[in-house]
Amino acid sequence: MDVNQPKQEHLLALKVMRLTKPTLFTNIPVTCEDGDLPGDLLNHLMKDDPSTVKGAEMLMLGEMLTLPQNFGNIFLGETFSSYISVHNDSPHLVKDILVKADLQTSSQRLNLSASSAAVAELKPDSCIDDVIHHEVKEIGTHILVCAVSYTSQTGEKMYFRKFFKFQVLKPLDVKTKFYNAESDLSSVTDEVFLEAQIQNITTSPMFMEKVSLEPSLMYNVSELNTINKDGESFSTFGTTYLQPLDTRQYLYCLKPKPEFAEKAGVIKGVTVIGKLDIVWKTNLGERGRLQTSQLQRMAPGYGDVRLSLEIIPDTVNLEEPFEITCKITNCSERTMDLILEMCNTNAIHWCGVSGRQLGKLHPSSSLHLTLTLLSSIQGLQSVSGLRLTDTFLKRTYEYDDIAQVCVVSSKVKAGS
């Protein structure tokens, strides 16, 4: 693994070892039936094998632990730990020993040494030990650069360094999708749903300790990944383990905070939603953590004027008046002078004066209207026929199919 070796003979020896958790020893059971040539010889050998579980020799999993045989894989979000030892192999006293450890990534060089002070002297057969830790935050090639400088007994300044190269892999594949809570102009809220698809792309299972969404200052978040039953909360996934190449879909609902709710209808362009925080454990409890960058969403376009319904009943009686409450928001950058017209359809009939003046509506401001209407046909009927006209530009905005109501016979109580 060393890239280059020092050409001159040095008094000190440098050893670097990665610190990882051991793995459980696995044993392949070899057995046969009593009628076969070996008889019960193989069974006795397995019972005498110290690596097998007594009374369960046929299990592949043993009671022993195995130390790492190679450098292994390092994944993004995990903590890289390494043991560094400088040993004096010579019979001479060495002075002013300075050990420095840097980690070179594709974008930066980090100093991982615990101390920058030099050791005054190092006697023969003595050593200087250090353990470094670093949370890996970049994928790709990493180079651990260990440099040692010292002064020999003759006063000569000596220096050498070694390079240890390793790759950092991506453990998870994270994909996100945004869904607007509204499919038309009749939405009561400005909720946004976030779907996060997380796939385990390593070769070992993961224990998903936490998958949460940290919202931006504009939003409150509700997690939709648990089920409450008898006062207890259960995960919708059942198990907390994510097998290799398995994918899970986490769902979150974001709602603008009250101080931003009034501006939600006029937010344009890209808005910051928040970031995902993912914590997992592998093997014998090795923890990893990833945080995504700030997730951004393109706000839906509402045009110059947005009309939404605040209150509307689900079920109404045939030929009986009912009320709805509308909210009109000026999404443009100019003041509007609006006129409301109500046009009847085959099933929906508006009650009141059509063509009334609503007055001036300033940019980013809104007003609420309570309107009365009735239906002359049973069944699921669409509320249509509202027209808003801006007298300044002589422009008319049409609003059809803004909501649906269920119309039942007056002999059946609405809502029963």
Side-chain angles (χ1 to χ4, degrees):
M1 198 161 107
D2 297 354
V3 177
N4 59 347
Q5 298 288 344
K7 295 181 179 180
Q8 61 183 133
E9 186 175 348
H10 285 276
L11 305 178
L12 303 182
L14 172 66
K15 296 181 180 180
V16 178
M17 178 185 297
R18 183 192 172 195
L19 299 179
T20 58
K21 294 287 183 69
T23 57
L24 291 173
F25 179 79
T26 56
N27 185 31
I28 301 178
V30 180
T31 183
C32 64
E33 296 185 5
D34 295 337
D36 294 336
L37 182 61
D40 59 353
L41 176 62
L42 297 177
N43 293 333
H44 282 297
L45 290 176
M46 284 195 300
K47 289 182 180 179
D48 295 336
D49 190 342
S51 65
T52 58
V53 179
K54 302 304 177 183
E57 290 81 7
M58 299 300 294
L59 288 177
M60 292 184 62
L61 204 60
E63 294 181 322
M64 293 186 174
L65 297 176
T66 304
L67 294 176
Q69 302 300 310
N70 50 45
F71 195 79
N73 294 325
I74 300 179
F75 293 100
L76 183 69
E78 294 182 343
T79 299
F80 168 70
S81 300
S82 184
Y83 166 73
I84 300 176
S85 178
V86 176
H87 187 268
N88 187 356
D89 291 343
S90 71
H92 308 293
L93 183 70
V94 176
K95 298 181 179 180
D96 301 328
I97 306 97
L98 180 62
V99 182
K100 185 178 180 182
D102 292 341
L103 186 63
Q104 178 70 53
T105 70
S106 58
S107 63
Q108 57 183 335
R109 188 182 182 108
L110 304 169
N111 181 21
L112 304 184
S113 301
S115 174
S116 59
V119 178
E121 60 181 32
L122 186 63
K123 298 179 180 179
D125 290 330
S126 299
C127 61
I128 301 172
D129 299 323
D130 190 15
V131 176
I132 58 175
H133 303 280
H134 173 67
E135 184 179 346
V136 183
K137 298 181 180 180
E138 295 182 42
I139 60 174
T141 303
H142 287 56
I143 301 176
L144 179 64
V145 183
C146 297
V148 180
S149 62
Y150 62 96
T151 303
S152 65
Q153 194 174 26
T154 60
E156 183 182 1
K157 297 288 185 179
M158 307 290 286
Y159 173 84
F160 70 93
R161 61 180 181 174
K162 289 187 177 182
F163 300 85
F164 302 91
K165 187 177 180 180
F166 59 92
Q167 295 288 331
V168 176
L169 308 176
K170 188 169 72 167
L172 298 171
D173 186 23
V174 182
K175 298 178 180 178
T176 57
K177 295 181 181 178
F178 288 105
Y179 302 93
N180 296 324
E182 56 186 2
S183 58
D184 47 41
L185 296 174
S186 62
S187 174
V188 177
T189 64
D190 289 278
E191 295 176 346
V192 178
F193 289 91
L194 169 65
E195 175 191 340
Q197 298 180 1
I198 300 177
Q199 183 183 26
N200 176 8
I201 57 178
T202 69
T203 57
S204 60
M206 286 185 177
F207 174 79
M208 305 304 292
E209 185 173 294
K210 183 181 75 169
V211 180
S212 62
L213 176 64
E214 298 179 0
S216 63
L217 296 176
M218 290 179 55
Y219 292 94
N220 292 317
V221 64
S222 300
E223 295 192 11
L224 305 178
N225 306 306
T226 56
I227 299 175
N228 292 321
K229 185 177 180 181
D230 299 330
E232 296 186 16
S233 181
F234 299 92
S235 171
T236 55
F237 307 107
T239 177
T240 53
Y241 288 95
L242 188 60
Q243 299 295 332
L245 300 182
D246 278 2
T247 302
R248 281 186 182 170
Q249 294 168 299
Y250 294 84
L251 187 62
Y252 304 90
C253 177
L254 296 108
K255 187 175 181 180
K257 293 181 179 179
E259 57 267 32
F260 295 100
E262 283 298 318
K263 299 181 180 180
V266 295
I267 293 177
K268 298 180 181 180
V270 177
T271 57
V272 175
I273 296 295
K275 57 184 177 180
L276 287 170
D277 187 14
I278 307 170
V279 181
W280 70 91
K281 291 181 179 178
T282 59
N283 294 334
L284 297 181
E286 293 176 289
R287 176 173 292 189
R289 181 182 181 184
L290 280 182
Q291 278 191 330
T292 65
S293 56
Q294 290 288 351
L295 303 176
Q296 295 181 335
R297 158 185 173 261
M298 180 63 70
Y302 300 109
D304 292 339
V305 184
R306 180 189 180 190
L307 186 143
S308 59
L309 292 187
E310 300 282 291
I311 302 174
I312 183 171
D314 295 327
T315 306
V316 298
N317 289 331
L318 180 66
E319 297 181 346
E320 289 188 8
F322 64 93
E323 292 184 344
I324 63 174
T325 300
C326 301
K327 179 181 178 182
I328 301 173
T329 304
N330 183 357
C331 300
S332 69
E333 298 178 354
R334 55 186 174 80
T335 301
M336 293 185 172
D337 189 11
L338 299 176
I339 296 177
L340 174 65
E341 297 182 6
M342 301 178 292
C343 304
N344 295 332
T345 63
N346 291 334
I348 296 296
H349 304 272
W350 297 92
C351 305
V353 178
S354 178
R356 60 170 164 159
Q357 294 275 352
L358 299 181
K360 293 182 179 180
L361 191 61
H362 298 286
S364 303
S365 60
S366 58
L367 59 88
H368 293 79
L369 289 175
T370 299
L371 303 176
T372 305
L373 61 160
L374 60 85
S375 176
S376 59
I377 301 177
Q378 295 187 53
L380 192 63
Q381 304 298 333
S382 294
V383 178
S384 303
L386 289 180
R387 305 290 184 262
L388 289 173
T389 302
D390 180 13
T391 59
F392 289 152
L393 297 182
K394 305 298 182 183
R395 183 179 298 172
T396 300
Y397 305 91
E398 300 181 355
Y399 301 94
D400 295 317
D401 298 323
I402 59 177
Q404 290 181 327
V405 292
C406 182
V407 182
V408 299
S409 174
S410 56
K411 296 180 181 180
V412 182
K413 284 188 176 181
S416 62

